[in-house]
């Protein structure tokens, strides 16, 4: 069974810090790796999509990398802000395009 | 705004009642999915439709049925609701290039 693990489960940082969220997965047969943000009681907002042929994607203060050989992806958030507080989910899709989700990292950025 | 629309947003059912969750997307995506999200269990795939006219079971299909009405619409039906189906339900659609887009969710309580 495909598994996706996210470490840490929770993270609290002061405003302005740079931080890294980690995602690891079994089964190197990956099609896409996608990072989402979820605010309490809300839906999932797509942050970054990395296709299997790519190694990283950037959007504003966010950078996501993908290393298929080691089964890892990282989400780097630069100069964190209180508005970044949310749960961050990574998910991988295989050949059938179904997403398998990690359990998420709950991020709190303190003002 | 283009995206995935789910109705209703909230619903309370009595055990044994039936209901249909509606989902529509206007992005011309071929593939559509239903997930449920439970505390401690993460997001799990219920059913998916890779293209119009096809549907397949996901990880947790028991107690549910789906209909891919046309390319835009994918509904999820609970024939006889049980308390174990209390959850938040998310519909999603996808293309290979843009990844997944999720709806805002339906919060279902079965009493």
């Amino acid at each position: 069974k495909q598994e996706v693990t996210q470490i840490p489960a929770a993270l609290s940082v002061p405003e302005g810090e740079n931080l890294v969220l980690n995602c690891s997965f079994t089964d190197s047969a990956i099609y896409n790796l996608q990072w989402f943000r979820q605010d309490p009681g809300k839906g999932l907002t797509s942050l970054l999509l990395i296709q299997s042929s790519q190694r990283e994607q950037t959007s504003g203060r966010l950078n996501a990398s993908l290393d298929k050989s080691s089964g890892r992806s990282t989400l780097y958030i630069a100069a964190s802000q209180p508005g970044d507080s949310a749960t961050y989910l990574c998910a991988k899709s295989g050949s059938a395009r179904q997403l398998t989700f990690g359990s998420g990292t709950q991020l709190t950025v303190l003002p | 705004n283009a995206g995935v629309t789910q109705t209703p947003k909230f619903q309370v059912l009595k055990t044994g009642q039936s209901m249909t969750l509606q989902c529509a997307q206007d992005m011309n995506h071929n593939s559509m999915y239903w997930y449920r999200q439970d505390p401690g269990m993460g997001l799990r795939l219920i059913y998916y439709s890779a293209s119009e006219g096809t549907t397949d079971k996901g990880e947790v299909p028991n107690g549910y049925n789906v209909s891919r009405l046309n390319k835009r619409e994918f509904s999820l039906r609970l024939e006889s609701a049980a308390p174990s189906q209390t959850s938040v339900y998310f519909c999603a659609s996808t293309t290979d290039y843009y990844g997944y887009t999720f709806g805002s969710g339906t919060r279902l309580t079965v009493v």
Side-chain angles (χ1 to χ4, degrees):
Chain A
K1 182 176 181 284
Q2 297 181 43
E3 290 192 350
V4 179
T5 304
Q6 290 188 246
I7 295 174
L11 180 64
S12 184
V13 299
E15 182 176 4
E17 272 203 10
N18 302 324
L19 57 101
V20 175
L21 307 181
N22 295 294
C23 174
S24 61
F25 47 89
T26 58
D27 188 356
S28 59
I30 182 172
Y31 190 78
N32 286 337
L33 192 291
Q34 196 164 356
W35 283 91
F36 297 90
R37 167 187 174 137
Q38 187 174 31
D39 293 284
K42 303 294 186 182
L44 281 72
T45 300
S46 179
L47 297 173
L48 290 165
L49 169 71
I50 310 175
Q51 296 180 346
S52 61
S53 59
Q54 300 172 326
R55 291 187 63 86
E56 67 176 346
Q57 283 288 328
T58 298
S59 176
R61 294 182 293 108
L62 306 179
N63 175 275
S65 66
L66 174 63
D67 184 341
K68 290 190 297 180
S69 62
S70 65
R72 293 177 182 235
S73 177
T74 61
L75 178 67
Y76 175 83
I77 303 176
S80 58
Q81 304 170 357
D84 294 331
S85 298
T87 296
Y88 291 79
L89 296 159
C90 76
K92 68 177 286 282
S93 65
S95 57
R97 309 298 191 269
Q98 302 167 44
L99 281 179
T100 301
F101 283 86
S103 53
T105 294
Q106 188 174 349
L107 172 66
T108 302
V109 181
L110 303 169
Chain B
N1 289 336
V4 178
T5 303
Q6 290 184 237
T7 57
K9 293 189 184 303
F10 300 93
Q11 185 72 48
V12 179
L13 289 179
K14 294 182 179 179
T15 297
Q17 286 185 321
S18 62
M19 78 162 296
T20 299
L21 282 65
Q22 307 287 351
C23 175
Q25 53 93 6
D26 57 6
M27 298 172 287
N28 202 36
H29 289 175
N30 285 322
S31 302
M32 298 185 72
Y33 305 79
W34 278 104
Y35 286 85
R36 61 179 287 174
Q37 185 175 34
D38 303 289
M41 301 295 291
L43 280 131
R44 294 178 292 170
L45 181 65
I46 306 172
Y47 269 95
Y48 67 101
S49 171
S51 61
E52 186 178 355
T54 69
T55 60
D56 286 286
K57 295 178 181 179
E59 183 183 356
V60 288
N62 291 344
Y64 306 95
N65 285 301
V66 290
S67 296
R68 183 74 182 266
L69 304 171
N70 47 55
K71 191 171 185 178
R72 292 186 62 248
E73 298 173 286
F74 188 38
S75 63
L76 178 72
R77 182 160 178 84
L78 287 70
E79 292 290 353
S80 179
S84 61
Q85 294 178 304
T86 293
S87 187
V88 182
Y89 292 85
F90 289 102
C91 177
S93 67
T94 186
T95 65
D96 289 349
Y97 189 77
Y98 291 106
Y100 273 64
T101 301
F102 279 80
S104 57
T106 295
R107 215 169 268 279
L108 175 67
T109 302
V110 183
V111 298

